Amino acid sequence: METVYHNIQLISFPLTFVYGLFFLLDPAPKDMFRNHVLARRLFGATLIIWATHIAITWSLGGELEDPVAKVSVNLSRFYIFGSLLEIAFSALVDNRFPIVRKTRDRLVLWGALMTVMALNILFVPAPVQKYVVIAAALYYAYEVYAILHRYYRVYANMKRDMDNYYSENVSNFTRWMLLSSHGLGIIGFSGIGLAFAPTLGLLIYMVAGILFFTYMSYSLYRYTLSVGHIKEIMLSAESEAEDKEQTEEQRLPVGEDAHPAFVALERKVDEWIEDRGYTAPELTIQQLAVELGTNRTYLSDYVNSKYSLSFRSWIAQLRIDYSKRLLVGSSALSINTIAEMTGYSYNNFITVFTRMNRISPSQWRKNYGQG
């Protein structure tokens, strides 16, 4: 078993090191956000840190013999790895995320943790050492939970912004980060037990780590190629922040006591719906705001408050309602033609229609069509 673990380390080190070196040195596109560039560099540095630890362990002939020292090193390794990845992922979806300060703070905390572990090994009586390690493991478990909680919150905000900006579902560009965070959570929590595990547990952990790093590296590379969708939202988010105070100050009442400006916007939106403006493909709320002569923030608030829907869900509802009328009243039109008329590609139309109605467009036509 020791030989197999030794050989897996021999494979893992160059692979992880090459992945890290690529993201650390690869020149990012010039128009990329600063946070995105820094996140790529941090991701690369994290993989190199991991690879360096593997190389040191391999050169020493395996894990440390002293159980307290072994667990302490593993916990500190898992902590810094998870912390830096959380920072990198958060910066990828939030251009205002303080990546430099967060990285510095985590490194200081990691140094403090390493110092406590070292003092525990050197000066604390042997019978007490294990309790210090258990306390460190519990703290690490809390940190894993906190890391995931913070990242899920950042990701949820990004998902909300995407749904309130695009008429199409573009969250597939960031879904890999959500899947990676799930994997990070599994590896993080399992790492608590594996830090105390024999060689077999660490072997399984090492193999899972190779697959995990490969998936993340490939996904981050693809994300960089399609980052324009995210960049557009980030730019709009920054301009939205500038509009937010003014919008909050001028938030207009709705309903019977509606402000004349709200009534005017409502009339424009109704006319736009009547003209079937929602059928324009790849529509964004920024485009609609310009067309209606308002700002994105106010229009988003209008849609969210009046319809209790995100922009994407609102547009989808308008398009699908229109498609139902076409399916029932225009039997000569093919499903593909109806998809194009509603602003969707064929595959997206089938997906959205089926998700919203629990049956396919053709089945809807069969059930509700005339004749």
Side-chain angles (χ1 to χ4, degrees):
M1 189 61 64
E2 291 289 345
T3 303
V4 176
Y5 180 56
H6 192 72
N7 291 334
I8 290 296
Q9 286 181 313
L10 192 60
I11 297 172
S12 181
F13 165 69
L15 196 63
T16 310
F17 187 82
V18 168
Y19 290 157
L21 203 61
F22 172 80
F23 288 107
L24 196 62
L25 302 180
D26 180 52
K30 294 182 179 179
D31 61 342
M32 195 173 289
F33 278 114
R34 176 176 178 269
N35 255 17
H36 188 104
V37 175
L38 292 177
R40 282 166 55 92
R41 302 289 182 261
L42 182 59
F43 180 76
T46 303
L47 294 187
I48 288 178
I49 290 172
W50 187 271
T52 301
H53 173 85
I54 294 173
I56 293 173
T57 304
W58 179 82
S59 65
L60 293 176
E63 298 288 331
L64 297 173
E65 293 296 331
D66 180 72
V68 173
K70 173 185 172 181
V71 172
S72 299
V73 169
N74 285 335
L75 284 175
S76 63
R77 172 179 56 170
F78 299 152
Y79 172 76
I80 191 60
F81 177 72
S83 295
L84 295 182
L85 279 186
E86 178 245 336
I87 293 171
F89 283 1
S90 297
L92 285 173
V93 295
D94 184 356
N95 194 48
R96 292 165 292 180
F97 187 84
I99 182 171
V100 175
R101 178 173 61 81
K102 290 288 187 180
T103 302
R104 183 188 63 238
D105 292 347
R106 291 299 171 79
L107 289 174
V108 170
L109 193 57
W110 179 51
L113 180 63
M114 291 284 287
T115 301
V116 170
M117 293 295 196
L119 293 175
N120 179 51
I121 295 171
L122 294 174
F123 300 110
V124 175
V128 182
Q129 287 182 0
K130 64 179 181 179
Y131 295 107
V132 176
V133 172
I134 291 173
L138 292 175
Y139 173 74
Y140 170 74
Y142 165 76
E143 278 294 312
V144 172
Y145 167 77
I147 285 170
L148 292 176
H149 178 73
R150 286 191 298 266
Y151 177 70
Y152 287 148
R153 185 176 58 200
V154 172
Y155 182 86
N157 290 339
M158 184 62 185
K159 179 67 167 57
R160 180 201 60 210
D161 289 343
M162 294 173 78
D163 286 346
N164 275 320
Y165 189 84
Y166 286 107
S167 60
E168 321 302 326
N169 184 8
V170 297
S171 61
N172 56 305
F173 294 112
T174 58
R175 189 172 294 118
W176 71 272
M177 282 185 279
L178 184 62
L179 295 176
S180 294
S181 64
H182 292 336
L184 184 62
I186 293 172
I187 289 178
F189 283 115
S190 63
I192 299 170
L194 290 175
F196 298 85
T199 303
L200 176 60
L202 295 174
L203 173 61
I204 296 172
Y205 196 86
M206 187 69 66
V207 173
I210 293 174
L211 299 176
F212 185 54
F213 299 149
T214 301
Y215 171 75
M216 285 196 299
S217 299
Y218 172 71
S219 299
L220 178 55
Y221 176 73
R222 288 190 59 201
Y223 175 80
T224 301
L225 297 179
S226 58
V227 75
H229 290 83
I230 310 302
K231 180 178 179 180
E232 188 172 353
I233 294 176
M234 287 182 175
L235 284 171
S236 297
E238 291 180 356
S239 63
E240 181 180 7
E242 297 175 359
D243 295 337
K244 197 69 177 177
E245 291 186 11
Q246 180 181 359
T247 303
E248 290 291 339
E249 293 174 0
Q250 299 178 354
R251 189 172 298 280
L252 306 176
V254 298
E256 296 181 357
D257 299 326
H259 189 281
F262 177 90
V263 175
L265 177 58
E266 187 175 39
R267 184 173 62 252
K268 290 180 181 179
V269 171
D270 289 342
E271 292 174 355
W272 178 79
I273 293 174
E274 185 68 25
D275 293 337
R276 294 198 284 271
Y278 51 83
T279 60
E282 299 183 358
L283 181 68
T284 69
I285 198 169
Q286 184 64 38
Q287 294 170 345
L288 181 55
V290 171
E291 183 177 342
L292 298 181
T294 185
N295 68 61
R296 171 203 167 184
T297 305
Y298 184 43
L299 178 59
S300 180
D301 286 346
Y302 170 83
V303 172
N304 297 159
S305 61
K306 179 170 182 178
Y307 298 99
S308 299
L309 295 170
S310 67
F311 178 73
R312 181 169 70 87
S313 297
W314 177 55
I315 295 298
Q317 186 177 80
L318 291 171
R319 288 175 173 178
I320 296 306
D321 286 347
Y322 178 47
S323 74
K324 289 178 181 178
R325 297 195 296 270
L326 294 175
L327 287 167
V328 172
S330 305
S331 58
L333 294 176
S334 67
I335 301 296
N336 188 54
T337 299
I338 291 176
E340 293 177 354
M341 291 177 66
T342 55
Y344 284 123
S345 67
Y346 175 79
N347 289 335
N348 283 344
F349 175 64
I350 298 298
T351 300
V352 175
F353 190 101
T354 304
R355 186 184 70 244
M356 293 179 65
N357 298 283
R358 306 292 180 89
I359 59 174
S360 67
S362 57
Q363 188 62 45
W364 177 278
R365 169 175 271 173
K366 181 178 179 180
N367 292 349
Y368 301 101
Q370 298 175 353

